[in-house]
Amino acid sequence: MSTAQPNETSPPALASTPALGIRDKLADVGVTIFTQMSALAAEQGALNLSQGFPDFDGPTELLERVNHHLRNGGNQYAPMIGVASLREAVANKVARLYGRDVCPDTEVTITSGATEALFCSLTALVQPKDEVLLLDPAYDSYAPVIRLAGGVPVHVPMVIDSGCYRVDWDQVAAAVTGATRAIVTNSPNNPTGMVFDSEDINALARLADKYGLAIVADEVYEHMAFDGRSHISMTARDDLYGRSFTVSSFGKTYHTTGWKIGYCVAPAHLTALLRKIHQYVTFTSHTPSQLGLADFLTAQPEYDEQLSAFYQAKRDRFLATIAGSKFNWVPTQGTYFQLLDYTAFGLHNDWELARKWTYEAGFASIPLSPFYADPQPSELTRLRFCFAKDDETLDRAGRLLCQL
Ligand code: PMP
Ligand code: GLN
């Protein structure tokens, strides 16, 4: 048995090309943990509960509408800012759910996934030496983008109370300096599942106002909040909207992560900055997907309103199947990720453990250490499991986890 990384996931060493004078801008970064664990799961034939994607398709009507446009001439460049009908559908959704009228022409931009929207927002915002606050554990794409723009990520760890994660806003305030430009938020949160409540949002608003901070709000799991919680979007608040890039993903909401279509809603002056970058990053995104999504959102605008119940049922099924296992957990508040505490196994090193169980126990999960700049031992007792899976897959996962 070997727990070495599969070769195909290791990046080539740039040190072998010194004559070209190329300096690796992300020298300390390898391939992402999601790429590594999905590759290992495939190599080992293990059940992949690691990278976050559903093992079922999006709604048939949506697939049919994309197919329709693919076969009926919707195959050339879409407008740089996104097809008009999809931008209108996003504006309608923001009005329906969050009560804000946004202009589809000047405040909504369609991007190649939330990833591109995050890249363009942060690149638009960050000047050399600017500091940007991140709340650890933080999704892996934020810090590298800040660094590529010459900025400095400042990591503030969340507090863990009896297995529940929360932001200590006093600690966040203490990390602000004269160079702090922005804060990145992610609620519902990957990987912890934490969902901001109104006290969090009020604290964020006070902080942003006091120090004049911009906000990049990663809201890709906006439609997955459980047990009566509801997501509070930056677009819902007058005191936050004017300073925020609000990012979401059709991949999460419509079970189509592979299409890589997302969007950013921001006031016109921020949107203009974002679009200057977007036009040189991808210029525009896959046209038939945009047209198909626009048709579907127009025909079934309320589809997103049943998603929380859908995923809460999946969470509950997953947790019921592992009731007899040695893991401990607090039911996740949102997202399609559940953290499981493995302290009872007496094992350490989450990275090694995630790999070991992929080799030996037939399932892949995600360690939390890659989400931290400086992980403390008390923060590394949990693995992340994706429960966006068919019921049969969840039952199989439960059997594997109970056998440990
Ligand atoms: N932000 C978070 C918190 C995510 O989990 C993900 C991954 N799904 C993304 C952004 C990227 O979304 P997309 O696939 O639309 O680029
Ligand atoms: N957001 C996905 C996750 O957290 C991963 C997407 C990716 O592989 N970049 O699992």
Side-chain angles (χ1 to χ4, degrees), residues 32-35 38 50-53 115 139-140 190-191 220-221 252 260 336-337 366 371 384 386:
T32 76
I33 190 64
F34 312 114
T35 302
S38 272
S50 65
Q51 194 176 25
F53 61 88
T115 306
Y139 186 58
D140 68 340
N190 177 8
V220 300
Y221 299 102
K252 303 290 167 200
K260 295 298 293 186
Y336 48 46
F337 302 117
I366 292 284
F371 295 76
R384 191 197 81 176
C386 174

Side-chain angles (χ1 to χ4, degrees), residues 8 34 42 55 58 71 91 97 107 136 152 156 220 234 238 255 288 295 304 324 345 370 398:
E8 68 273 21
F34 312 114
D55 70 347
R71 291 178 169 279
L97 290 180
E107 295 175 85
D136 281 5
V152 182
V156 182
V220 300
M234 301 302 142
D238 291 339
H255 317 307
D295 290 350
D304 50 26
F345 291 89

Side-chain angles (χ1 to χ4, degrees), residues 23-30 119 122-123 126-132 134 140-155 373:
R23 192 175 52 85
D24 185 346
K25 290 189 178 172
L26 295 172
D28 55 332
V29 167
F119 182 92
L122 288 165
T123 306
V126 176
Q127 306 286 341
K129 299 199 169 53
D130 279 353
E131 294 178 5
V132 180
L134 300 181
D140 68 340
S141 80
Y142 312 143
V145 179
I146 294 162
R147 289 169 54 199
L148 287 172
V152 182
V154 174
H155 297 262

Side-chain angles (χ1 to χ4, degrees), residues 231-368:
H231 169 66
I232 306 173
S233 173
M234 301 302 142
T235 61
R237 295 272 300 231
D238 291 339
D239 51 351
L240 290 168
Y241 180 66
R243 57 175 78 246
S244 301
F245 293 89
T246 303
V247 171
S248 195
S249 171
F250 297 109
K252 303 290 167 200
T253 306
Y254 300 97
H255 317 307
T256 53
T257 61
W259 295 0
K260 295 298 293 186
I261 307 287
Y263 63 85
C264 180
V265 178
H269 65 287
L270 296 181
T271 292
L273 298 178
L274 173 121
R275 288 176 179 176
K276 283 194 190 185
I277 317 263
H278 164 70
Q279 67 184 339
Y280 297 124
V281 176
T282 57
F283 182 73
T284 188
S285 307
H286 191 250
T287 306
S289 298
Q290 291 195 53
L291 292 167
L293 281 161
D295 290 350
F296 186 77
L297 266 76
T298 308
Q300 297 191 38
E302 276 110 33
Y303 178 89
D304 50 26
E305 291 178 24
Q306 48 74 44
L307 211 62
S308 286
F310 175 80
Y311 276 120
Q312 184 173 322
K314 295 229 170 271
R315 177 201 69 178
D316 291 345
R317 185 173 186 119
F318 177 55
L319 292 179
T321 66
I322 61 168
S325 76
K326 282 167 74 180
F327 290 100
N328 282 306
W329 62 83
V330 176
T332 194
Q333 297 179 356
T335 75
Y336 48 46
F337 302 117
Q338 175 67 50
L339 297 185
L340 297 182
D341 187 314
Y342 56 80
T343 309
F345 291 89
L347 297 166
H348 305 287
N349 192 332
D350 62 345
W351 197 298
E352 277 307 307
L353 192 54
R355 275 212 280 274
K356 175 184 162 70
W357 278 339
T358 311
Y359 281 101
E360 295 176 3
F363 65 85
S365 59
I366 292 284
L368 291 208

